Amino acid sequence: MTRTEIQDKIIEELPLKPHGLLKFAPRVGKSRIICETIKKNKPKKVLWVTVSTELRDVDIPREIQKWIGKRFVARVETICYQSLGNLEGIYDMIILDKIFVQLKPI
């Protein structure tokens, strides 16, 4: 299977209104999978939380426009994790991008 076919299979098998943790290796096409999932669910308001201002201001809007179109850019609010404490709002979908978990020995 090609990378696109694998991505399409993941998108197809995700339920409507998915919830939970999706764990992908780098360079798998996570942005396309997320964007296509947004398109599939048609939420009115999406919050996409990320780790850097460059991702927030440049990369994520560019990926949204590339994969699902300019009209979806306005539906997605991107914010950095550091700013979450200042945020209020109701969202139909929340994406927590690049979550890193550190396991400590017990």
Side-chain angles (χ1 to χ4, degrees), residues 56-104:
R56 178 194 69 199
D57 297 340
V58 179
D59 297 335
I60 292 172
R62 184 181 58 222
E63 290 293 309
I64 294 168
Q65 188 167 340
K66 175 182 177 180
W67 294 116
I68 57 177
K70 194 172 188 172
R71 67 175 196 246
F72 282 95
V73 174
R75 294 185 194 187
V76 180
E77 179 179 349
T78 54
I79 188 171
C80 292
Y81 282 99
Q82 302 90 311
S83 301
L84 273 176
N86 304 325
L87 182 71
E88 292 184 20
I90 297 173
Y91 299 89
D92 301 305
M93 181 182 280
I94 299 174
I95 300 153
L96 302 174
D97 197 359
K98 300 192 186 295
I99 297 175
F100 299 100
V101 178
Q102 181 177 0
L103 301 175
K104 296 186 211 175

Side-chain angles (χ1 to χ4, degrees), residues 2 7 9 23 25 27 31 39-40 45 48 50 52 60-61 71-72 75 82 87-89 94 96 98 100:
T2 67
Q7 292 169 0
K9 184 170 175 58
K23 187 175 172 183
R27 314 298 336 146
S31 294
K39 183 178 175 182
K40 178 179 170 180
K45 194 171 179 185
W48 191 326
T50 191
S52 75
I60 292 172
R71 67 175 196 246
F72 282 95
R75 294 185 194 187
Q82 302 90 311
L87 182 71
E88 292 184 20
I94 299 174
L96 302 174
K98 300 192 186 295
F100 299 100

